[in-house]
Amino acid sequence: MIRKICLGVLLASYFCSVADSQMLRPLVRLPEETSQCSVSQKKDCGYYGIKQDGCESKGCCWVPNVPSSEPWCYYPAGPSPSPTPTPPSPSPSGSAPFTSAQMELMQGYFEANLNVNGKGCVMASPSTQSPDYYYHWQRDGAISMSKLFDYKQPSEYQDYMKSYMNWVHKAQFASDPNGIDIRGEPKFYVNGQCYEKGWMRPQRDGMALRSITMLLWAKELLSDGQLDFVKQNIYVSNPNMAGVQRDLARIQQIWQENSGDPWEEINSQVFFAKFVMRRALYLGAQIATACGDEGSASSYASTAKDIEADINAKHWDSQKGIVMEIPNQRPLDSAVHLGVLYGNNGDGFYSPSSERVQSSVAFLIRTFSSSNYPDFSINRKDDELGLPGILVGRYPNDVYNGGNSSQPSSGNPWILCSSSLAEIFYTAASEHIQAGQSLRISRVNIDFFKLSLEHSKHRLNATVLSELNGAVVAGKTIDGFLFRGMMKALTATGDGILTRVAHHVKPYNFHLNEQINKDTGLAQGARDLTWSYGTVIGAMKARADLLKLAEWVASKQ
């Protein structure tokens, strides 16, 4: 009989029961001399079920179809090998994908890119060639500054935020050499001047994202009784003065117009931009109300409602079951789940726990799986090594390789696209728990939960896994111990994704590049990408929040 363990105890045990495990070592090359594989005494190098790539990645010999008494995977001639290894395994149940020491390292690298020269600038990367990312992007900068809230106390980030506020105020009134409203400019030099060369313009998400970051800070300041500071510096009412109200007024004017997408390749109707504009307006309504500007608050909320109707009408493909980033041009895109995270207003509209988002996430993961997307051979190699999770790129058939001239024009997995997927699973679990300990399986979200069970079968009791699979396939409402098992499955899926990322960045002492090479698993693209760090910080914060929620639930039972 299955014992009904309370959710809090189950998840708390799941997170905390075992110390952090060491990551796997990087792959080594196959012996260069074929003669090395001509040995009379074959020492087993593999394990039951190992395949050719898994064997050769260990530097061992692969000779199948030999007598059953002889191993197919064996050590080459040379010095005596170490004992036969066991199959690589994911982190033990309960251990975090990144240790606290590793997180501190990455936070240090992250902060080195903030407040450049004490002026509030956020460099996208210190890389100045192949590629040159030594600029302040409005989008990247705003997202990055908001991640300080995830691991610092207010007293620790106040100076950062004041410098960033001054940067934003100057950027709102900077001279525009490109003949457009400066608030639609995506990119600035680190000295504060607007980038004047050819680029994708306008991009509407930057003004929304920096408004979100400033408004979240304003909420913290208001909780500390600093209404005067907020009214004088963040929300000033007059749209002709520096402050978030200036950006919000612009959003109300242009939200229906085309925008450059987050990858700066297509100018069209963009889900990411609309979704973050919606959240900015709702947050603006809250702060406007607190500042006594009821008229603007009502106007902001009304525009946000209009954006919701537009998203429903234009960005949901009911046939494929995906939220379309750019309808009819690039529907399937990691920018969707990134937008969901940055635009999540906590009201269930296209949130990580919503059916439509879950269906879209499942479709993306299926698309990039090793069986469906062989171009990312690193996923197949990681699967054969026993690593959980998956690495995903920006979108299928991407051609941007991060400025690597030695690689044919072809896209790669991105750290920020992959790590943010983990945050989707953690946040979905938290939202489901908060909504009540039951879950309805529908034809829209069914594949999300099927996929979660596939990715977490190494973590679940076999009987629970069997019953969950049966309940999901039958479309039943999941509650009781099965609900708790499903929440564990969502958490394990997020852990698997981060574990795979961690495996590939450990050799670089957890410096995070933009991309992971699709074949070798080596770092590629801009080094120390600020946005990459932000997504790992955000995912691990969502994981910690889930643990706290589980502990709270346990205390109430």
Side-chain angles (χ1 to χ4, degrees):
M1 178 179 292
I2 299 170
R3 299 180 61 189
K4 297 186 177 181
I5 309 169
C6 79
L7 173 65
V9 173
L10 186 152
L11 285 180
S13 173
Y14 167 66
F15 282 127
C16 304
S17 62
V18 184
D20 298 284
S21 65
Q22 294 184 345
M23 296 297 154
L24 302 170
R25 292 176 296 174
L27 304 182
V28 295
R29 292 186 178 275
L30 178 71
E32 296 182 1
E33 298 294 333
T34 305
S35 60
Q36 287 183 283
C37 292
S38 299
V39 296
S40 57
Q41 298 293 325
K42 295 179 179 179
K43 179 74 173 179
D44 197 346
C45 178
Y47 48 85
Y48 182 77
I50 196 170
K51 298 180 181 179
Q52 182 173 359
D53 284 352
C55 174
E56 292 178 348
S57 70
K58 295 172 173 288
C60 295
C61 301
W62 175 260
V63 180
N65 301 319
V66 296
S68 59
S69 60
E70 297 182 12
W72 289 15
C73 180
Y74 56 92
Y75 287 98
S80 299
S82 56
T84 301
T86 56
S89 61
S91 300
S93 177
S95 62
F98 293 96
T99 67
S100 58
Q102 291 161 359
M103 289 304 301
E104 288 176 7
L105 265 180
M106 289 185 282
Q107 289 160 5
Y109 303 149
F110 170 71
E111 291 177 35
N113 291 355
L114 308 183
N115 199 20
V116 178
N117 299 324
K119 301 296 184 182
C121 168
V122 179
M123 71 171 90
S125 161
S127 176
T128 57
Q129 58 182 354
S130 300
D132 182 4
Y133 280 17
Y134 191 62
Y135 299 93
H136 176 107
W137 266 269
Q138 300 286 46
R139 171 179 46 257
D140 302 35
I143 291 169
S144 299
M145 292 303 296
S146 72
K147 295 298 107 180
L148 288 173
F149 308 153
D150 285 353
Y151 68 97
K152 285 185 174 293
Q153 296 299 315
S155 60
E156 297 173 321
Y157 61 66
Q158 295 301 331
D159 289 344
Y160 279 111
M161 288 304 301
K162 287 177 180 178
S163 292
Y164 177 66
M165 178 185 70
N166 291 332
W167 171 278
V168 170
H169 289 175
K170 292 176 182 177
Q172 287 181 318
F173 289 95
S175 174
D176 193 302
N178 303 303
I180 68 169
D181 189 295
I182 191 66
R183 288 168 288 186
E185 287 288 354
K187 181 176 174 179
F188 288 72
Y189 292 100
V190 295
N191 64 7
Q193 292 182 333
C194 179
Y195 187 75
E196 80 286 3
K197 300 176 184 178
W199 210 254
M200 171 63 70
R201 299 183 181 91
Q203 294 182 37
R204 315 290 191 185
D205 55 15
M207 67 184 93
L209 286 162
R210 70 188 183 191
S211 294
I212 289 171
T213 297
M214 297 301 295
L215 290 163
L216 290 173
W217 183 38
K219 290 182 72 172
E220 173 59 38
L221 293 169
L222 289 172
S223 71
D224 192 42
Q226 299 189 52
L227 175 61
D228 288 343
F229 182 89
V230 171
K231 293 175 71 172
Q232 293 167 13
N233 296 279
I234 299 176
Y235 187 87
V236 194
S237 297
N238 186 345
N240 295 317
M241 298 178 66
V244 295
Q245 76 290 336
R246 180 168 176 78
D247 286 339
L248 296 176
R250 183 62 177 164
I251 289 171
Q252 288 188 288
Q253 294 170 353
I254 55 79
W255 72 265
Q256 297 181 78
E257 298 177 16
N258 286 351
S259 172
D261 73 303
W263 315 130
E264 305 182 309
E265 295 175 342
I266 299 176
N267 189 288
S268 187
Q269 294 289 295
V270 177
F271 172 84
F272 182 99
K274 293 178 186 178
F275 203 65
V276 297
M277 284 192 276
R278 172 187 178 270
R279 186 186 186 195
L281 289 166
Y282 274 129
L283 284 173
Q286 294 177 29
I287 301 303
T289 298
C291 293
D293 188 1
E294 296 286 353
S296 293
S298 177
S299 179
Y300 296 153
S302 177
T303 304
K305 285 288 185 184
D306 292 339
I307 294 176
E308 290 174 13
D310 184 84
I311 288 174
N312 279 329
K314 295 179 180 177
H315 293 275
W316 170 243
D317 183 339
S318 60
Q319 296 298 313
K320 290 185 177 179
I322 60 172
V323 181
M324 297 182 288
E325 169 66 357
I326 305 173
N328 303 318
Q329 291 179 274
R330 188 187 294 146
L332 188 64
D333 195 312
S334 287
V336 167
H337 68 260
L338 286 161
V340 164
L341 293 173
Y342 305 136
N344 186 7
N345 196 45
D347 54 10
F349 184 75
Y350 288 83
S351 69
S353 60
S354 69
E355 291 184 341
R356 293 183 175 185
V357 168
Q358 291 178 342
S359 177
S360 194
V361 164
F363 198 106
L364 182 83
I365 292 176
R366 297 283 190 205
T367 298
F368 277 109
S369 68
S370 57
S371 58
N372 292 326
Y373 202 73
D375 190 53
F376 283 10
S377 64
I378 190 60
N379 273 327
R380 174 178 52 80
K381 294 172 183 176
D382 285 350
D383 290 348
E384 292 175 351
L385 281 173
L387 280 171
I390 189 171
L391 301 173
V392 301
R394 300 190 299 178
Y395 51 85
N397 304 312
D398 188 6
V399 297
Y400 177 59
N401 63 18
N404 182 356
S405 59
S406 64
Q407 180 190 7
S409 183
S410 180
N412 297 294
W414 280 48
I415 290 175
L416 70 92
C417 296
S418 303
S419 299
S420 55
L421 264 185
E423 185 175 352
I424 289 285
F425 283 92
Y426 297 141
T427 306
S430 289
E431 291 179 353
H432 285 307
I433 294 169
Q434 291 169 326
Q437 295 187 45
S438 66
L439 179 67
R440 187 178 71 89
I441 303 299
S442 73
R443 64 176 182 82
V444 178
N445 65 14
I446 185 171
D447 198 44
F448 179 80
F449 293 105
K450 282 183 177 179
L451 181 144
S452 299
L453 294 175
E454 292 169 13
H455 279 256
S456 60
K457 57 188 177 183
H458 58 286
R459 293 280 184 90
L460 296 178
N461 172 281
T463 305
V464 173
L465 179 63
S466 176
E467 293 199 33
L468 274 171
N469 275 312
V472 168
V473 171
K476 295 181 178 178
T477 295
I478 294 176
D479 54 18
F481 76 92
L482 288 181
F483 177 83
R484 297 190 287 273
M486 184 59 80
M487 294 307 99
K488 183 173 182 179
L490 296 183
T491 311
T493 303
D495 280 359
I497 295 168
L498 289 186
T499 296
R500 187 166 291 202
V501 171
H503 170 69
H504 289 288
V505 302
K506 185 181 181 183
Y508 304 94
N509 201 26
F510 298 93
H511 283 276
L512 303 184
N513 277 42
E514 176 184 68
Q515 303 176 29
I516 294 171
N517 185 277
K518 66 187 182 72
D519 297 314
T520 65
L522 300 178
Q524 193 156 312
R527 62 186 175 90
D528 287 307
L529 190 75
T530 316
W531 196 355
S532 291
Y533 290 115
T535 56
V536 172
I537 290 169
M540 291 295 287
K541 174 60 163 57
R543 188 182 191 275
D545 287 345
L546 177 55
L547 172 58
K548 290 178 182 177
L549 178 61
E551 292 173 341
W552 181 85
V553 170
S555 72
K556 299 299 180 181
Q557 294 183 342

